[in-house]
Amino acid sequence: MAFSYVHKIPEPAVLIEDGREVLGVVNSVEFGLSSQGNEMATMKVQAVDDDGKVLRTITEHLPFTEKAEWKLNQVIDSLGLAAETGETLEIDEQLLTGQKGRVRIGVDSYTDTSGNLQKVNRIAAWLSSSGAAVAAGCPNCPHRPAEAPWRLLGG
């Protein structure tokens, strides 16, 4: 058995200030189950400044539940993928990977296993795309009604 590995220089561990708005670029997406057993997408999102420099990569979790539907709506709108109200959008890795939207960065604090206070960045909000909201539909993706507010492909 063998595997391939591409060595990468790690991103600098610089904390982005709370409230800063940057471009969020979806670098990769993985579908799976949350710890509660709900379907979810885990996205790696690059936070990119106005000069095009990647500040850091942030992991964003999108659980597919009614309780978290507001977040899914924010992401889809920010990425410019919103379909007409009431229309179902089929979400897969190909659809999300490479998409870009504006995000507001947040800072969370936690105590690590050694008892030290740590701070990490998170995406506090996905910001609405420009007023050319997508009332005309989704030009970059197939979207067709389905039996649920979302439907995972290939699963």
Side-chain angles (χ1 to χ4, degrees):
M1 178 185 284
F3 63 90
S4 296
Y5 171 74
V6 177
H7 179 72
K8 299 176 187 172
I9 297 173
E11 295 175 15
V14 176
L15 198 65
I16 304 169
E17 65 270 15
D18 191 43
R20 182 170 178 185
E21 294 181 9
V22 297
L23 182 66
V25 180
V26 180
N27 191 44
S28 66
V29 182
E30 186 175 303
F31 289 92
L33 297 176
S34 70
S35 58
Q36 288 79 35
N38 297 309
E39 292 177 316
M40 67 178 275
T42 301
M43 303 188 307
K44 299 290 185 181
V45 180
Q46 293 177 323
V48 179
D49 68 12
D50 293 334
D51 295 326
K53 179 182 174 194
V54 175
L55 301 172
R56 71 180 311 138
T57 300
I58 300 171
T59 301
E60 177 76 326
H61 301 282
L62 287 177
F64 297 143
T65 65
E66 283 187 43
K67 186 176 179 181
E69 190 174 5
W70 65 271
K71 185 175 184 179
L72 186 59
N73 283 329
Q74 252 190 19
V75 171
I76 295 302
D77 183 50
S78 180
L79 296 177
L81 300 174
E84 293 183 29
T85 300
E87 215 172 338
T88 299
L89 177 65
E90 293 182 349
I91 299 171
D92 65 2
E93 294 92 344
Q94 186 177 4
L95 172 70
L96 295 175
T97 303
Q99 295 293 337
K100 301 173 184 176
R102 298 293 293 176
V103 297
R104 181 175 305 116
I105 300 296
V107 176
D108 281 344
S109 299
Y110 69 95
T111 303
D112 67 17
T113 56
S114 300
N116 299 315
L117 183 65
Q118 301 291 331
K119 292 185 179 190
V120 294
N121 282 125
R122 64 178 173 83
I123 296 175
W126 288 80
L127 307 176
S128 180
S129 57
S130 67
V134 224
C138 174
N140 301 325
C141 59
H143 57 277
R144 300 287 175 258
E147 61 283 347
W150 49 80
R151 181 165 59 97
L152 296 179
L153 298 179

